[in-house]
Amino acid sequence: MSLRDRVALITGGGRGIGRAIADRLAEVGCRIVIADVDQGGAEQAAAEVGVAHEVDALGVGANVADASSVKAMVGAAVEEFGALDILVNNAGITRDGLLLRMKEADWDQVLTVNLKGAFLSTQQAARPMSKGRWGRIVNIASIVGAMGNVGQANYVAAKAGLIGLTKTVAREYAARGITCNAVAPGFIDTAMTQALSDEIRAGLMAQIPMKRLGSPEDVAHAVAFLASEEAGYVTGQVLHTNGGMYM
Ligand code: NAP
């Protein structure tokens, strides 16, 4: 599989799953733009990815919840590399709480970063992709967007919404050679899940047929497939990457 010289932008790529996606796409030859709300983290990650895989890589500070920041993010990618071929909407946050006690601000913040962020980024990235008549958009959803989850009404609504957005973008852009798919990870070993108590982690493990949490690399391989030339006839799909936890 080769994506030599394709330009890939990964939001929230400074660490965790996004960083692993950046590494995997660089491994198959992409030029990389890592965008993260933490500008220093984005720049450092881009420098490391560039050296490790001998590709050009740019780090950009960007908040996907802010329309002007997203416009500047895509503008920086196009200015540096002259094109944008692959967008991975990975930036995401959680603000968990039971429905009855969930604060309105926590609802708004999670919907804004996880769902509106993907909308804004897709809207900007679709322009240069349309120009090139080729594009791959991969949205990082979640297993809970399909299953629901206690204590995550905001996050689940955002991830289920992201799946709806994926299918609509797939339909609107199919004729321009742009595919849009989602990867729905199960429980992956990152800072997001390291925050869970041992009891909750043990409870999760009991529900995973493969008896392990996923790794960021497990998700990155699924993303790289959907971003590949070979996946050109796959669009509007959700690729579940969860060790069999949800079928
Ligand atoms: P993570 O380790 O918390 O990384 C998320 C990254 O996104 C961080 O670098 C963070 O920056 C960045 N970010 C947060 N808000 C942002 C914003 N407004 N604009 C730009 N960047 C922003 O999380 P992760 O576990 O790798 O999760 C990555 C994606 O996978 C998320 O969409 C998450 O919902 C999804 N997912 C994760 C799991 C899991 O089990 N871990 C399962 C299913 C789906 P800072 O470091 O500065 O905060």
Side-chain angles (χ1 to χ4, degrees):
M1 189 168 73
S2 172
L3 282 167
R4 186 138 309 279
D5 292 337
R6 291 288 185 193
V7 179
L9 188 160
I10 303 106
T11 67
R15 64 185 169 104
I17 292 172
R19 170 61 197 270
I21 294 168
D23 272 307
R24 178 65 190 139
L25 291 178
E27 204 173 32
V28 292
C30 289
R31 293 177 284 171
I32 300 293
V33 183
I34 292 183
D36 204 287
V37 72
D38 168 12
Q39 184 173 345
E43 286 170 354
Q44 194 187 329
E48 289 169 6
V49 168
V51 168
H53 305 286
E54 295 179 350
V55 297
D56 293 327
L58 174 73
V60 179
N63 176 4
V64 297
D66 180 86
S68 59
S69 178
V70 169
K71 202 168 174 194
M73 167 184 87
V74 171
V78 174
E79 193 182 318
E80 180 79 8
F81 296 122
L84 178 58
D85 304 302
I86 299 165
L87 169 69
V88 184
N89 285 310
N90 166 80
I93 59 166
T94 51
R95 297 286 181 272
D96 297 351
L98 291 172
L99 184 85
L100 211 58
R101 281 187 237 129
M102 185 170 283
K103 294 194 177 69
E104 191 181 341
D106 289 339
W107 172 273
D108 287 345
Q109 206 180 351
V110 167
L111 268 287
T112 303
V113 173
N114 296 28
L115 185 53
K116 184 179 163 189
F119 156 68
L120 292 173
S121 303
T122 300
Q123 202 175 43
Q124 289 303 319
R127 294 171 207 269
M129 285 180 190
S130 295
K131 238 174 150 184
R133 309 293 293 179
W134 194 97
R136 299 281 186 266
I137 299 167
V138 183
N139 294 325
I140 307 302
S142 170
I143 187 173
V144 301
M147 289 178 73
N149 200 22
V150 171
Q152 291 197 307
N154 48 2
Y155 184 76
V156 170
K159 294 301 189 182
L162 195 52
I163 291 171
L165 176 67
T166 300
K167 294 177 183 179
T168 298
V169 172
R171 287 184 186 275
E172 287 195 16
Y173 284 92
R176 285 179 235 189
I178 300 170
T179 68
C180 182
N181 293 284
V183 170
F187 286 84
I188 309 298
D189 201 5
T190 68
M192 197 177 261
T193 45
Q194 277 149 20
L196 300 172
S197 70
D198 287 348
E199 195 188 341
I200 291 179
R201 283 167 76 92
L204 285 173
M205 212 67 89
Q207 299 172 56
I208 304 172
M210 287 190 176
K211 297 294 169 217
R212 66 169 177 89
L213 295 188
S215 68
E217 290 72 26
D218 288 324
V219 180
H221 283 291
V223 172
F225 167 66
L226 291 171
S228 70
E229 195 63 54
E230 291 84 347
Y233 201 54
V234 180
T235 197
Q237 304 303 310
V238 182
L239 178 50
H240 286 276
T241 309
N242 59 35
M245 187 176 181
Y246 172 79
M247 298 181 187

